[in-house]
Amino acid sequence: MNDLDFAALLVSRVCHDLVSPVGAVVNGLEVLEDERDATMRADALKLVASSAEQAAARLQFCRIAYGAAGSAGAELDLTEVGRIVTGLMSGTKVSMDWRAGPLNWPKDWAKLLMNAALVAADSLPRGGQVVVETTSDPATPGFTIRAMGQNARVMEEVGNAVRGEPTPPLDGRSVQAYLTHRLARAAGAGLKLAASEGAVELTAGCVKR
């Protein structure tokens, strides 16, 4: 796959993630425009507010995790990264336990961490918990991400994409996982993915336990 096709698939993924909350905002506004019942209007306002928050959280995530996120050589604050990733999970069935210290990491490593956390969260179809741990030395980035929950699993095409073997061909579901692989390769992170009953783990670098 050439870079143009890869970028097009990634844009499709972003649009897919935004369609639901933006559509809910539009629906809520239509109700507010036509509805006169106070209870219905209050419910519509709640829908608009929560959906707008979801859309904003997804945009913030995509801007950093998929975008340029500053100039070459830039660093990102892991506290802010954790706020963005946790915000992305807000209102879902997945809870985020962010245990990264207040460090600045190289941009590519921070983006890798965000994307790996999303791969982990997507492996919990019935919800659960994602625990993120990182090294304490900014000079040696590394992390362990554990996703735990009922029926935790990695779909075959997603697992292949994370390992850099996108078969079958990439689609809107697996393109983000392949981006994770490319970020890991660029950073020399040695990303590994393992699955067991009720758990999925992604590791990169070295994290002491």
Side-chain angles (χ1 to χ4, degrees):
M1 172 176 290
N2 61 47
D3 285 345
L4 186 60
D5 289 338
F6 176 67
L9 273 178
L10 197 57
V11 170
S12 295
R13 164 77 187 232
V14 172
C15 293
H16 175 271
D17 288 349
L18 290 173
V19 162
S20 179
V22 171
V25 169
V26 172
N27 292 337
L29 290 174
E30 289 176 349
V31 171
L32 286 172
E33 186 176 303
D34 301 330
E35 186 60 57
R36 294 294 175 263
D37 181 80
T39 301
M40 291 291 291
R41 288 180 64 83
D43 289 342
L45 277 171
K46 290 180 181 178
L47 174 64
V48 169
S50 64
S51 299
E53 288 178 359
Q54 289 177 20
R58 294 182 188 188
L59 279 171
Q60 282 188 322
F61 180 89
C62 292
R63 182 178 70 86
I64 304 296
Y66 304 162
S71 60
E75 294 184 337
L76 296 177
D77 179 0
L78 291 192
T79 299
E80 178 64 10
V81 167
R83 184 191 66 79
I84 292 171
V85 175
T86 301
L88 182 70
M89 297 298 116
S90 178
T92 72
K93 296 180 291 184
V94 177
S95 64
M96 182 67 57
D97 184 358
W98 190 265
R99 301 180 184 177
L103 306 172
N104 289 334
W105 266 15
K107 177 184 65 177
D108 287 348
W109 266 95
K111 291 172 65 173
L112 170 60
L113 179 63
M114 296 175 75
N115 279 279
L118 182 56
V119 170
D122 285 347
S123 74
L124 299 173
R126 296 195 177 183
Q129 184 182 48
V130 175
V131 179
V132 177
E133 296 180 293
T134 67
T135 54
S136 57
D137 184 354
T140 56
F143 61 78
T144 296
I145 302 173
R146 301 181 192 86
M148 297 162 286
Q150 186 177 6
N151 289 347
R153 66 181 186 276
V154 177
M155 298 184 66
E156 181 179 4
E157 60 268 33
V158 172
N160 289 342
V162 168
R163 298 181 182 95
E165 304 166 356
T167 52
L170 290 176
D171 57 17
R173 179 184 293 273
S174 58
V175 67
Q176 185 269 330
Y178 186 61
L179 172 64
T180 306
H181 161 75
R182 292 184 63 162
L183 287 167
R185 186 176 63 188
L191 181 67
K192 297 180 181 178
L193 171 67
S196 58
E197 185 175 354
V200 170
E201 184 173 274
L202 293 101
T203 57
C206 180
V207 177
K208 295 181 180 180
R209 301 187 182 178

